[in-house]
Amino acid sequence: MDLHSLTIHQLHDLLVKKEVTSREATEALYRRIKKTEGKIKAYLLLTEEEAFRQADQVDRKIAKGEGIGGLAGVPIGLKDILCTKGIRTTCASKILEGYIPFYDGTVIQKLKKREAVFLGKLNMDEFAMGSSTENSGFHITHNPWDLKRIPGGSSGGSAAAVAADECIAALGTDTGGSIRQPAACCGVVGLKPTYGRVSRYGLVAFASSLDQIGPITKDVEDSAILMDAISGYDPYDSTSVNVEVPDYKRSLKRDAKGIRIGIPEEYFVEGMDPEVERSVKEAIDFFRKWGAEIQRVSLPHTEYAVAIYYIIATAEASSNLARYDGVKYGLRSKGYRDLMEMYAQTRAKGFGKEVKRRIILGTYVLSAGYYEAYYRKASQVRTLMRKDFEEAFQKVDVIVAPTTPTPAFRIGEKTENPLQMYLSDIHTIPVNLAGIPAISIPCGFSHEGLPIGLQIMGKHFDEGMLLRVAYTFEQNTDFHLRKPSLT
Amino acid sequence: MKMDIEKVARLARLELSEEEKVTFGNQLEQILTYMEQLNRLDTTGVEPTSHAIPVHNVFREDEVKSSFPQEEALAIAPDEERGHFKVPRIIE
């Protein structure tokens, strides 16, 4: 038995039965990382000492006959955008090189309380800006299914590590698709919770009205386990919402009977990848066979999603990233003559190309004379897009569509054309703009053996329904069981 | 739409190389042209959305609570002196 290939719930069962220890599992993961990381390059930092300390603590509890929770002793990876006390947090940016937070974000505190083992920090697009992890300030991550392809982004390190069995599960963040798109590209499960479901305290901000933390896992049950752990209101995040969190594990039912599933015609447009279309349509047929009621819905403002998003997200980013000024932490350039030069040179040296591009764009759309034409206009169309979903959800319980228009593209394919890169997020962005939850699960493979993702979108705070529908599909198919050969 | 990239870079406190000015200028022009499609929609009277979930002011009692120790915050600063962040002189 390969310990590294286990899911959270499988490892938990073995820990409880005392068939393995958390230390053995953690050792197995680091052995796996040593073996495959040269090809994948998913991690930015490994925290072995801390991991074994946590693992031993859990093992002592088990040895003493104490009960443990579902995440105790389970080795997981963290996207390097989550602040970890005493552990370097870079956001894959040179401007944060050497930044060691003196506090844990809320989700980290929650996972520590549940005694999860942290293997290390995972690669990403710098400040979560990108769809391929090629914008990391440190190195590129490779897709385990085809090393010449991107793992998706921005949580590309998280998705690649889960797919390559370099961690049992991982956390990512999603602003315009950054959990779901890499999950689809790497053939794993990624859930973007409702805006406000999970606290953003200690998540380095990109676009504050869109960012959410969520799980990237090997199966749907693990997604539910992590959602149970990280969800909930937090006084330290005034946008987290004080509503009851259900027991997500109890929503895992192998049954879609009577569930109303909407198919948005705008997501099936001419020119979409035929293999993606076929896999998603087969998934829809599956749900029909399993008793779901399928109907067409319309989300007429879908075509404007990319334009709205790259105005709103860059505007918020230009404001959020103003804090990197070389004064309080992180990089400070040398050779400046005055304060203004210190700011401008520090930022020139510390930020990568895509981050600079977005800061310029965001500053422009907020600047005097352009605010009305861009930012205000985009915020109005955002209202129309939100209403599209509100209307559709009057008639259906979930909406099903592809996660991405194509399987993972080649490394370098879109780096010279930012607009083409932005358009690869067309199916995931509307969810963030509307603040609704969505999950991506594996639903097929292309003829080249690349994973294809099925996206299930739900009503605000209805993650339970997403998990149920996803679980029904997963438990009756075997796409999630396939592993990349990594040769 | 033509962008005065030098002016915007100044607003953003960001120094750009000559090469960056040219490439970003071209790329951003293409992106802004793409965004003009929003003008096809009549949004007269539509309320803008800044948060997808209704958010309200959050109030709490004004109680004294502990905060992060000053030394910890200053320990990761690029430069500090006598309990302050240190920057180049700004007043002549």
Side-chain angles (χ1 to χ4, degrees):
Chain A
M1 175 188 47
D2 290 327
L3 291 178
H4 57 250
S5 61
L6 296 175
T7 61
I8 297 175
H9 55 94
Q10 287 167 343
L11 176 58
H12 174 72
D13 290 346
L14 295 178
L15 290 171
V16 170
K17 285 189 215 150
K18 297 190 183 181
E19 285 179 27
V20 296
T21 63
S22 174
R23 175 168 271 271
E24 285 165 348
T26 306
E27 279 169 354
L29 262 310
Y30 281 123
R31 269 201 307 277
R32 173 68 175 180
I33 290 169
K34 218 170 167 188
K35 197 174 153 202
T36 53
E37 185 61 353
K39 292 173 185 163
I40 307 294
K41 294 172 86 69
Y43 281 91
L44 288 172
L45 180 72
L46 296 173
T47 51
E48 282 169 271
E49 205 177 304
E50 182 68 13
F52 283 118
R53 201 189 54 74
Q54 279 176 301
D56 289 344
Q57 201 175 306
V58 174
D59 286 337
R60 276 195 297 274
K61 266 187 133 171
I62 297 170
K64 276 195 276 179
E66 288 177 38
I68 55 159
L71 277 170
V74 175
I76 64 173
L78 302 170
K79 186 177 182 181
D80 202 24
I81 196 168
L82 299 166
C83 285
T84 42
K85 186 175 181 174
I87 292 167
R88 198 175 76 201
T89 301
T90 66
C91 270
S93 179
K94 295 220 159 79
I95 212 158
L96 274 175
E97 218 168 16
Y99 171 60
I100 298 173
F102 46 79
Y103 71 106
D104 279 321
T106 298
V107 294
I108 304 298
Q109 293 173 30
K110 282 173 180 258
L111 292 178
K112 276 189 175 171
K113 226 170 127 190
R114 285 168 171 78
E115 299 170 291
V117 172
F118 300 147
L119 294 166
K121 305 296 289 281
L122 291 155
N123 199 18
M124 53 187 281
D125 286 297
E126 183 179 5
F127 286 106
M129 296 180 187
S131 315
S132 68
T133 314
E134 290 165 294
N135 296 334
S136 166
F138 301 111
H139 56 74
I140 288 172
T141 295
H142 299 262
N143 189 315
W145 295 91
D146 178 350
L147 299 173
K148 291 189 191 69
R149 289 176 190 267
I150 56 107
S154 67
S155 311
S158 300
V162 173
D165 288 326
E166 290 189 6
C167 59
I168 300 294
L171 285 186
T173 62
D174 192 315
T175 305
S178 284
I179 286 174
R180 292 158 287 150
Q181 185 257 13
C185 289
C186 292
V188 293
V189 177
L191 193 156
K192 200 272 311 173
T194 309
Y195 183 80
R197 177 58 100 191
V198 177
S199 168
R200 294 183 292 111
Y201 179 66
L203 156 63
V204 180
F206 158 18
S208 305
S209 82
L210 304 163
D211 298 339
Q212 271 289 290
I213 302 167
I216 297 182
T217 56
K218 293 175 190 174
D219 69 11
V220 176
E221 186 172 343
D222 279 4
S223 190
I225 292 169
L226 273 172
M227 279 301 291
D228 278 328
I230 64 174
S231 299
Y233 172 69
D234 177 18
Y236 282 89
D237 173 5
S238 61
T239 62
S240 71
V241 180
N242 202 351
V243 291
E244 202 195 331
V245 181
D247 181 345
Y248 289 117
K249 265 196 88 172
R250 292 182 64 174
S251 48
L252 301 174
K253 292 183 191 135
R254 292 184 184 85
D255 165 30
K257 205 164 283 165
I259 290 178
R260 299 166 304 166
I261 296 181
I263 312 299
E265 52 195 77
E266 293 83 0
Y267 282 64
F268 297 84
V269 287
E270 225 182 74
M272 79 180 288
D273 183 278
E275 290 183 308
V276 171
E277 184 174 7
R278 196 198 60 220
S279 293
V280 172
K281 289 201 163 149
E282 281 170 7
I284 294 164
D285 287 338
F286 166 94
F287 287 120
R288 192 179 281 115
K289 259 189 272 168
W290 278 78
E293 189 189 297
I294 310 290
Q295 49 177 290
R296 288 166 75 125
V297 291
S298 180
L299 301 168
H301 296 93
T302 302
E303 62 176 307
Y304 302 104
V306 173
I308 306 170
Y309 177 83
Y310 280 93
I311 292 171
I312 292 175
T314 58
E316 294 185 17
S318 74
S319 170
N320 273 325
L321 271 63
R323 74 190 66 183
Y324 304 103
D325 55 7
V327 175
K328 303 174 292 297
Y329 43 74
L331 185 78
R332 178 185 289 191
S333 78
K334 294 181 182 70
Y336 46 83
R337 285 170 303 183
D338 55 27
L339 187 68
M340 284 304 246
E341 272 193 15
M342 187 188 93
Y343 292 154
Q345 290 177 6
T346 297
R347 291 159 67 77
K349 203 167 164 233
F351 290 137
K353 266 193 193 137
E354 180 61 20
V355 174
K356 287 180 188 172
R357 199 152 38 219
R358 294 201 196 186
I359 289 175
I360 296 283
L361 184 57
T363 305
Y364 177 72
V365 299
L366 287 178
S367 63
Y370 300 101
Y371 172 86
E372 294 281 329
Y374 290 104
Y375 185 77
R376 190 180 156 83
K377 183 80 183 180
S379 302
Q380 286 176 311
V381 186
R382 184 179 182 185
T383 303
L384 300 177
M385 170 158 280
R386 198 165 51 89
K387 288 190 171 155
D388 286 353
F389 280 104
E390 275 169 22
E391 273 171 42
F393 282 125
Q394 307 245 319
K395 289 179 277 185
V396 296
D397 302 303
V398 294
I399 295 172
V400 162
T403 309
T404 57
T406 65
F409 46 89
R410 284 185 190 77
I411 290 171
E413 196 177 318
K414 299 188 181 185
T415 39
E416 294 312 310
N417 191 334
L419 186 57
Q420 279 310 311
M421 186 74 95
Y422 298 170
L423 286 167
S424 61
D425 298 334
I426 182 111
H427 293 336
T428 48
I429 283 173
V431 162
N432 301 74
L433 291 171
I436 59 173
I439 191 170
S440 177
I441 55 171
C443 74
F445 287 86
S446 73
H447 71 282
E448 291 173 296
L450 298 169
I452 293 168
L454 179 74
Q455 183 174 216
I456 308 164
M457 302 170 251
K459 298 173 189 171
H460 287 143
F461 302 104
D462 204 10
E463 287 85 353
M465 177 61 82
L466 298 186
L467 290 164
R468 174 181 170 183
V469 173
Y471 193 68
T472 302
F473 183 80
E474 177 191 89
Q475 292 298 303
N476 292 290
T477 54
D478 60 2
F479 302 114
H480 67 295
L481 299 175
R482 282 198 226 172
K483 299 270 186 188
S485 61
L486 273 174
T487 46
Chain B
M1 186 86 57
K2 195 94 188 132
M3 181 195 287
D4 182 351
I5 196 153
E6 288 185 16
K7 186 187 159 203
V8 180
R10 235 181 358 261
L11 287 173
R13 305 286 185 264
L14 188 59
E15 196 175 271
L16 295 181
S17 68
E18 289 309 312
E19 190 212 329
E20 280 173 331
K21 281 178 205 165
V22 176
T23 28
F24 289 173
N26 291 335
Q27 288 165 338
L28 292 172
E29 202 173 303
Q30 196 194 352
I31 293 164
L32 289 171
T33 306
Y34 177 80
M35 283 163 178
E36 276 167 20
Q37 64 172 294
L38 293 178
N39 296 329
R40 292 205 300 258
L41 289 168
D42 180 9
T43 50
T44 320
V46 177
E47 276 297 309
T49 294
S50 54
H51 268 270
I53 308 281
V55 283
H56 309 283
N57 277 335
V58 180
F59 295 101
R60 62 171 169 77
E61 290 307 309
D62 187 17
E63 291 164 346
V64 178
K65 284 183 183 166
S66 62
S67 54
F68 293 119
Q70 193 185 32
E71 314 82 67
E72 286 186 26
L74 287 171
I76 53 173
D79 200 4
E80 51 103 14
E81 196 179 303
R82 286 175 290 167
H84 298 275
F85 296 113
K86 195 177 172 187
V87 296
R89 176 186 293 274
I90 49 170
I91 303 165
E92 291 304 324

